[in-house]
Amino acid sequence: MPHDPFDRRDFLKSAAATLALLAGKRGLAASDLPTAAPSGPPVKLVVIGLGPWGRDIVTTAARIPTIELVAICDTYEAFLRRAGQAAPRAAAVPDYRTLLDRRDVEAVIIATPSHLHKDIALAALQAGKHVYCEAPLASTLDDARVIAGAAGASKLRFMGGLQGRSNALWAHVAKFVKSGVLGDPAVVRTQWNRKDSWRRTAPTPERERAINWRLDRATSSGLVGEIGLHQIDLVSQYLNAMPTAVYGVGATVAWRDGREVPDTVQCVFEYPKAVRAVFTATLASSFSGAYGAFQGSNSSLLIRETRAWLVKEADSPLLGWEVYARKESVHDETGITLVADATKILQAGEEPGKVRNAEPAKDALTLSLEAFARLVGEGGASPCTAADAFRATAVAIRAHEATLTNARVEIPQERMT
């Protein structure tokens, strides 16, 4: 970059400080800002449930210096063996109850199928262990309410597994949304598409039934509950409101194999001020993947897992920093690229607007597990409290009910606490 009397880096540093100041005046939470790593010894924890997501958790946790994996746990020996490759020093244990008696276990991460969360979470809290419980909290409202109630009544630390609340990009974009850059929100669209039957094979019929719990109406909250709740939770955070009702439709169109939950769903969530949020998901096609699109009177926002773009309306006011921001083509429009690690890029002597494919240095799962270790070691506010996790779970379960009945379902606010 050529040197000139007007140093753009100095301007961007000043602009970043100004934006941070303005954001603070608009009431952004401290959790929106980066936090330091804990200074104490690593937190000793165990991971219970070693399916594909549980193995991802083990692999990620094993790389985090502030976490010591004492043990991994699953009733299925093959899962224990596979997960053990990522954490060879962790004890492989088939019964989680034996782990809760160990004094060297400070906390547990529950990554079992959703319908098994309740008993494990209650036993862990009773044994004096801090708990990280994957989302959804449970596959039924009653079980989710019991978990949230027990966590709320305990002095132990609890964190729900809504990793989006630790996503660096989503937190960064939230600052712009809360500053009013969208204008008046009008409509939101979210989707999750993947060509995947969700059905897994196993050596025995009993094991096959157990491993395919997502396809059984008695144990699954479907595509909305297992996947959609993460995106809908993001919508609720950005709109700073909870939905009051949901219309849903669901059908099995691609995988007619006897499953009891739809492989394709559409939901329309009713938010205050006449805002509607649409969620669609299918296991029939991977086209367009997953994203969220927020449309407002001043600008629109397209957000994915690690990339986001702001598209301005022609008559919207000019933002002082946008002149120096990187621009990219987004659906035949010019979008302003929103970069999560802008501060780190500036500290490295680069310009966020000039860095191509600038994505967060750490993925959401890593940041979420780091936050849990910090919560256990130092206390403070949980990025996702039991109440947060319950509200997201309750909304998703109500939406799943709507897709099963092709009907409109109320979401009672008084039962969301």
Side-chain angles (χ1 to χ4, degrees):
M1 172 183 172
H3 293 283
D4 56 47
F6 180 74
D7 192 329
R8 295 184 183 182
R9 293 176 183 172
D10 287 342
F11 172 84
L12 286 168
K13 290 175 183 178
S14 175
T18 302
L19 280 173
L21 178 61
L22 289 173
K25 289 182 178 179
R26 292 182 181 271
L28 291 181
S31 59
D32 290 333
L33 304 175
T35 51
S39 56
V43 173
K44 298 180 178 180
L45 57 77
V46 301
V47 178
I48 303 171
L50 304 174
W53 183 241
R55 289 198 297 275
D56 283 350
I57 291 175
V58 169
T59 300
T60 301
R63 298 170 179 162
I64 297 176
T66 54
I67 290 176
E68 179 182 346
L69 276 177
V70 174
I72 55 177
C73 177
D74 200 286
T75 58
Y76 191 42
E77 183 180 350
F79 281 5
L80 272 174
R81 190 166 55 250
R82 290 177 203 167
Q85 296 174 3
R89 295 184 180 180
V93 179
D95 188 345
Y96 75 87
R97 290 169 294 189
T98 63
L99 295 171
L100 301 183
D101 294 330
R102 291 178 52 166
R103 293 183 177 180
D104 62 338
V105 173
E106 296 178 76
V108 303
I109 294 178
I110 303 172
T112 63
S114 303
H115 65 287
L116 302 178
H117 287 177
K118 184 185 76 171
D119 289 346
I120 301 172
L122 296 183
L125 290 169
Q126 188 173 5
K129 311 302 181 186
H130 307 291
V131 173
Y132 179 107
C133 185
E134 267 303 333
L137 279 188
S139 58
T140 69
L141 272 175
D142 288 342
D143 282 3
R145 188 173 286 110
V146 169
I147 294 172
S154 173
K155 294 182 179 179
L156 295 162
R157 283 120 198 196
F158 184 95
M159 183 169 163
L162 286 168
Q163 286 82 26
R165 289 174 174 255
S166 298
N167 185 310
L169 174 68
W170 292 9
H172 175 70
V173 173
K175 300 173 186 178
F176 294 92
V177 174
K178 292 177 182 178
S179 73
V181 72
L182 296 179
D184 295 322
V187 66
V188 182
R189 300 189 313 280
T190 63
Q191 75 170 41
W192 185 90
N193 296 336
R194 179 176 296 177
K195 186 68 174 287
D196 184 349
S197 72
W198 260 16
R199 183 173 290 281
R200 302 293 179 261
T201 59
T204 67
E206 292 78 16
R207 182 61 195 166
E208 189 157 329
R209 280 194 297 273
I211 205 172
N212 288 304
W213 58 275
R214 284 193 178 93
L215 308 181
D216 188 337
R217 189 174 294 194
T219 54
S220 175
S221 54
L223 279 166
V224 190
E226 293 297 323
I227 302 295
L229 86 164
H230 296 280
Q231 290 177 308
I232 300 304
D233 182 58
L234 175 69
V235 173
S236 297
Q237 289 185 73
Y238 280 13
L239 296 181
N240 194 30
M242 298 298 297
T244 57
V246 57
Y247 294 87
V249 292
T252 301
V253 297
W255 307 102
R256 295 185 174 95
D257 53 7
R259 67 186 58 207
E260 298 177 349
V261 298
D263 65 15
T264 302
V265 300
Q266 296 88 33
C267 297
V268 179
F269 293 86
E270 299 178 5
Y271 279 87
K273 300 182 180 179
V275 178
R276 299 292 182 264
V278 180
F279 169 76
T280 67
T282 185
L283 296 171
S285 167
S286 299
F287 178 71
S288 199
Y291 69 82
F294 296 74
Q295 291 180 256
S297 58
N298 285 340
S299 60
S300 296
L301 169 69
L302 178 65
I303 185 167
R304 294 185 181 271
E305 183 73 17
T306 59
R307 303 292 303 279
W309 301 265
L310 188 71
V311 179
K312 301 283 297 300
E313 292 291 330
D315 61 350
S316 63
L318 180 69
L319 303 173
W321 49 268
E322 71 178 89
V323 176
Y324 299 96
R326 177 175 174 76
K327 312 294 195 307
E328 293 180 343
S329 177
V330 180
H331 293 306
D332 297 326
E333 302 278 358
T334 299
I336 300 172
T337 304
L338 302 180
V339 181
D341 289 334
T343 301
K344 293 180 181 178
I345 293 171
L346 287 168
Q347 291 173 345
E350 303 288 343
E351 293 184 29
K354 300 299 182 183
V355 176
R356 291 184 176 272
N357 300 321
E359 298 184 356
K362 296 180 180 180
D363 61 60
L365 178 58
T366 298
L367 292 169
S368 189
L369 296 182
E370 287 180 343
F372 181 59
R374 188 161 49 246
L375 179 67
V376 172
E378 299 180 352
S382 172
C384 181
T385 66
D388 294 331
F390 174 73
R391 282 189 286 268
T393 298
V395 168
I397 288 176
R398 294 292 190 188
H400 177 56
E401 292 173 2
T403 66
L404 295 177
T405 57
N406 292 347
R408 180 179 183 273
V409 174
E410 299 282 345
I411 304 176
Q413 299 300 294
E414 69 274 9
R415 301 187 65 189
M416 301 291 286
T417 56

